[in-house]
Amino acid sequence: DSYIVFKKHAPISLEEVIPVLSVKPLHRLWLIVSGPIFHFVAKSITAAQILVNEVKKCGFKHSGIISIRADGVVVEIISGTWTSFLLMDGDEPMIQPNSLSRILEISNTILLEGKKRIECLHNEIERIDEKVNRAQNSLDDFGESISS
């Protein structure tokens, strides 16, 4: 079993972590940093393939089609930025007090890398949409020429 005792989508500080460390966890206390995960529903397999290929350019390398539904193709976009640190095992600290600052520095760096990837995706999404539309129009044109 696991429980979230503190959650934040911004860099963390010593002042925020120290009070959490003063309470004995039920089992173990982990500091986990996880990059962003998004889900999109593309209108077609072609659109989904383009989306997966393009988001990889922004660092979302662990992305792919996860299901096909009546309303479209579900694409999961995962950044892959992730780390964990075991801080306490029961009431036993698993890190040296002088290493906590460095652990937070590393954690915050990983968090900010995930945010950079979100910014890249935000900046690229319109270009990706245009690429999908061009591909879809080409397929529509191809379909018309076959049926003519």
PDB file of all heavy atoms in Angstrom, residues 3 65 82:
ATOM      1  N   TYR A   3       0.666   5.746   0.080  1.00  0.00           N
ATOM      2  CA  TYR A   3      -0.143   6.916   0.379  1.00  0.00           C
ATOM      3  C   TYR A   3       0.640   8.155  -0.025  1.00  0.00           C
ATOM      4  O   TYR A   3       1.854   8.211   0.152  1.00  0.00           O
ATOM      5  CB  TYR A   3      -0.454   6.993   1.885  1.00  0.00           C
ATOM      6  CG  TYR A   3      -1.088   5.739   2.411  1.00  0.00           C
ATOM      7  CD1 TYR A   3      -0.310   4.711   2.942  1.00  0.00           C
ATOM      8  CD2 TYR A   3      -2.459   5.569   2.358  1.00  0.00           C
ATOM      9  CE1 TYR A   3      -0.887   3.554   3.405  1.00  0.00           C
ATOM     10  CE2 TYR A   3      -3.043   4.400   2.824  1.00  0.00           C
ATOM     11  CZ  TYR A   3      -2.257   3.398   3.347  1.00  0.00           C
ATOM     12  OH  TYR A   3      -2.837   2.248   3.801  1.00  0.00           O
ATOM     13  N   ILE A  65       0.341   4.403 -29.171  1.00  0.00           N
ATOM     14  CA  ILE A  65      -1.092   4.125 -29.256  1.00  0.00           C
ATOM     15  C   ILE A  65      -1.418   3.087 -28.182  1.00  0.00           C
ATOM     16  O   ILE A  65      -0.748   2.050 -28.098  1.00  0.00           O
ATOM     17  CB  ILE A  65      -1.453   3.602 -30.656  1.00  0.00           C
ATOM     18  CG1 ILE A  65      -1.210   4.711 -31.701  1.00  0.00           C
ATOM     19  CG2 ILE A  65      -2.890   3.094 -30.697  1.00  0.00           C
ATOM     20  CD1 ILE A  65      -1.266   4.230 -33.139  1.00  0.00           C
ATOM     21  N   TRP A  82      11.812  10.601 -14.707  1.00  0.00           N
ATOM     22  CA  TRP A  82      11.327   9.994 -13.475  1.00  0.00           C
ATOM     23  C   TRP A  82      12.513   9.639 -12.594  1.00  0.00           C
ATOM     24  O   TRP A  82      13.562   9.225 -13.075  1.00  0.00           O
ATOM     25  CB  TRP A  82      10.560   8.713 -13.815  1.00  0.00           C
ATOM     26  CG  TRP A  82       9.840   8.093 -12.674  1.00  0.00           C
ATOM     27  CD1 TRP A  82       8.562   8.350 -12.287  1.00  0.00           C
ATOM     28  CD2 TRP A  82      10.349   7.103 -11.766  1.00  0.00           C
ATOM     29  NE1 TRP A  82       8.239   7.574 -11.198  1.00  0.00           N
ATOM     30  CE2 TRP A  82       9.337   6.801 -10.855  1.00  0.00           C
ATOM     31  CE3 TRP A  82      11.561   6.455 -11.634  1.00  0.00           C
ATOM     32  CZ2 TRP A  82       9.488   5.876  -9.836  1.00  0.00           C
ATOM     33  CZ3 TRP A  82      11.717   5.526 -10.611  1.00  0.00           C
ATOM     34  CH2 TRP A  82      10.678   5.253  -9.734  1.00  0.00           C
TER      35      TRP A  82
END
